[in-house]
Structures are given as C-alpha cells and as structure tokens.
C-alpha cells in the first residue's frame, strides 16, 4: 500500500485501532491503512456479512482482527464489543468514530424520527464509543479520530439531519480534547470530501449529479478511501503528538467558499 512508502511498516506494532462501522467504505480504508503499518484492528457494525468480508481482507494483510456486530446506538452492545476487543487485542490506542447513516431529504419532508435516526447513529453513537473506550484510551494515552463531513462546515440542501449530527461531532471532539487532554488523550476530526466508490456518494451524488460535483471541486476529482486512511494514520501517529482539538479537512478544497 502507498502508506508503507512513507511510514515504517511497524509504526503500529502492538497498537490496537478500533473503527466503528469499519466494515465498508471510507472506514474500511482507514482500517486497512492502520493494518498496513502493523496495527491490530477491532471493528463493529450491524451487518455480520460486511464485517466477515472486511476481516478476511485484513487477515490476508497479516493483521490480527476482532470484529463483532453492534449497533452504535446500543451502549451495552458497544461496551461489550470494546471490552472483548481489549481482552483479545489489547487496550485500544486509537478509536475511530466513523459509523454513520445518511439519506437525502428536504427538511420540510423529514420526519422527526428520520432526523433522530441520523443524529443517534452519528453523534450519540460517537459519544457512546468514546465513553465506552475511555478507560482503555486512558491506559494507552491514546487518541480519537472522528469521521465528520463537509456538512459540519457549510449547509447542504436536504442534509439538515447530517449537518446537525456532524457539527455536533466536531464540537464534541473539541470538548473531549479540552477535557481529556489531562489524561494524555488527543481528539481530532477528519472532514472527508466526496470519496469515490462509497455508499455516501452513491446516495448523495448518483449519475450526472456526480459529474457536476466533480467539476466544482478545486482539485477536480473525488478523493480515495486511502487518502482518508492516510490522514487518520497521521493524526494517530507520533507526528501529531501535539495536535488535539483540530478538524483536518481532506476534501480537495470542496468546502472552500466560492468553490
Ligand atoms: C426520508 C427516511 C429515509 C429517506 C429512512 N428515513 N430513510 N426519511 N428519506 N430516504 C426515515 C424513516 O422513514 C424513519 O422515520 C427513520 O428514518 C428511521 O428509518 P429506519 O429505516 O428504521 O432507520 P435505520 O434502520 O436505523 O437505518 C438508518 C438509516 C439507513 C440512516 C435510515 O439509511 C442506514 O442504515 N444507513 C447506513 C449506511 C449509510 O447511510 N451510509 C452512508 C453514510 S454517508 P419514520 O418517521 O418513518 O419512523 C454519510 C455522509 C456522507 O454519512 C457525506 C458525503 C459528502
Ligand atoms: P458506508 O460504507 O455506508 O459506511 C458506514 C458504515 O457504518 C457501514 O459499515 C455501516 O455498516 C456502519 N453503520 C451504519 N449505521 C450503524 C450503526 N447504527 N451501528 C454500527 N455501525 C453502523 O459509507 P461511507 O460513505 O464510506 O461513509 C463512511 C464515513 O465517512 C461516514 O462517517 C460518513 O459520514 C463519512 N463521510 C463519507 C463521505 C463520502 O464521500 N462517502 C464524505 C464525507 C464523510 P452496517 O450498515 O453494517 O451497520
């Protein structure tokens, strides 16, 4: 993988990363980049099939993997996966809060439960993961990486639910940086731009909409799951040891005013 040309292959030897929603898309790309540098990988998601496929691929890369189904909205289920991860792989050094849900729906048509579902998965689910992993992160003086979205920075049509959830995540990220710095725990967010081949882009920019969107991006292309994985690796690495409370925008310039 590209990342092994720039970072030592044993950077994360004896390091456990846990990725919520790690079985697909961007989040699986994050898991693979950590695995390529020697990390042990824990994951959860709702679908056992996705987790099995992802675990098999990570196993082929030589990674030690533990994956179990859990809905991030269910604190008890998440807590039990995180505890099992510690006993199988060792205490978590990097927590990636990345599980999310999205659909296009104008606010005047969105039901309260539709709004709540997305906020519960993205925002409450991220808090649940941080809270349940706290004691492990305290032991490792580890770090948290949140996967946010451009909707946190600028409003998008028909995305009121996602904007609220992701802006909430970025503010919670800063609160945790402030509160947990005293435990040596760092907390940062990544805002991915449109990433090729992902469920998010299939839902938000199908067909011709995708072509138009590409033209509006200053770098003129979609990003890749590896480009988000590389940013996550950087934020979790010793190179970022004094970085906490930041939002790292990895979007080809998409959210710049005027783009
Ligand atoms: C309007 C919708 C809807 C839609 C669901 N709802 N889909 N409303 N338009 N397309 C409403 C339902 O009617 C219901 O409200 C409520 O949401 C909950 O629906 P459920 O089906 O019970 O939800 P649940 O099973 O919890 O599934 C969550 C989900 C689903 C978010 C709705 O789409 C999902 O599981 N998504 C996960 C995968 C995903 O979205 N990946 C993309 C991530 S991309 P009522 O009132 O009827 O009860 C991303 C940002 C990308 O996050 C940014 C790109 C730039
Ligand atoms: P994706 O493949 O659908 O990833 C979402 C993952 O979260 C899936 O593996 C899903 O698995 C899991 N998940 C969803 N609801 C869950 C729940 N309640 N509990 C546990 N796991 C749950 O979509 P993606 O596009 O790659 O998105 C990944 C992340 O990047 C998300 O945080 C998204 O907001 C962010 N993002 C994406 C883009 C983009 O261009 N795609 C841009 C900006 C930000 P199950 O369905 O099996 O649970």
């Amino acid at each position: 993988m590209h990342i092994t040309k720039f970072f030592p292959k044993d950077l994360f030897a004896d390091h456990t990363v846990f990725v919520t929603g790690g079985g697909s898309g961007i989040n699986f790309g994050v898991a693979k980049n950590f695995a390529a540098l020697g990390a042990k990988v824990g994951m959860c998601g709702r679908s056992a099939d996705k987790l099995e496929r992802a675990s098999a691929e990570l196993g082929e890369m030589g990674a030690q993997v533990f994956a179990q189904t859990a809905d991030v909205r269910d604190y008890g289920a998440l807590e039990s996966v995180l505890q099992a991860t510690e006993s199988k792989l060792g205490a978590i050094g990097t927590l990636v809060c990345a599980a999310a849900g999205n659909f296009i729906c104008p606010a005047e048509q969105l039901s309260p439960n539709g709004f709540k579902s997305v906020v519960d998965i993205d925002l409450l689910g991220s808090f649940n993961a941080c809270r349940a992993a706290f004691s492990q992160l305290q032991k490792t003086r580890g770090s948290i990486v949140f996967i946010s979205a451009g909707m946190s920075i600028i409003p998008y049509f028909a995305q009121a639910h996602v904007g609220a959830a992701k802006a909430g995540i970025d503010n919670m990220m800063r609160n945790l940086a402030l509160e947990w710095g005293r435990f040596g725990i760092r907390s940062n967010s990544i805002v991915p731009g449109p990433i090729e081949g992902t469920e998010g882009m299939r839902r938000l920019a199908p067909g011709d909409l995708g072509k138009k969107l590409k033209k509006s991006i200053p770098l003129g292309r979609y990003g890749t799951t590896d480009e988000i994985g590389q940013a996550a690796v950087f934020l979790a690495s010793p190179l970022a040891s004094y970085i906490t409370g930041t939002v790292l925008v990895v979007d080809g310039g998409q959210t710049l005013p005027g783009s």
Side-chain angles (χ1 to χ4, degrees), residues 42 59 61 78 115 237 240 244:
M61 291 172 70
L78 197 49
F115 185 92
S237 79
T244 194

Side-chain angles (χ1 to χ4, degrees), residues 46 73 100-103 105 111 113-114 117 151 199-200 203-204:
R46 294 165 303 173
R73 292 169 286 191
N102 192 10
F103 48 80
C105 187
S111 73
N113 194 39
S117 297
M151 293 80 181
E199 183 61 25
R203 288 178 185 229
L204 292 195

Side-chain angles (χ1 to χ4, degrees), residues 20-27 44-47 50 70-73 97-101 121-122 147-150 166 191-195 198-201:
T20 67
S24 62
I26 289 177
N27 310 340
C44 72
R46 294 165 303 173
S47 139
K50 268 187 212 172
D71 189 316
V72 292
R73 292 169 286 191
C97 297
I121 297 170
D122 296 23
I147 303 298
S148 182
K166 296 293 193 180
V191 165
I195 303 301
T198 59
E199 183 61 25
M201 292 321 293

Side-chain angles (χ1 to χ4, degrees), residues 17-24 26-32 34 41-45 51 82 92 94-99 147:
V17 61
F18 188 92
V19 188
T20 67
S24 62
I26 289 177
N27 310 340
F28 182 47
V30 170
K32 282 198 289 191
F34 276 88
V41 182
M43 296 183 295
C44 72
L51 292 176
L82 288 165
I92 292 164
T94 304
L95 172 68
V96 184
C97 297
I147 303 298

Side-chain angles (χ1 to χ4, degrees), residues 148-156 163 166-167 170 191 247 249 251 255-256:
S148 182
M151 293 80 181
S152 167
I153 302 172
I154 53 172
Y156 281 60
K166 296 293 193 180
D170 287 344
V191 165
V247 175
V249 181
D251 73 346
T255 50
L256 291 172

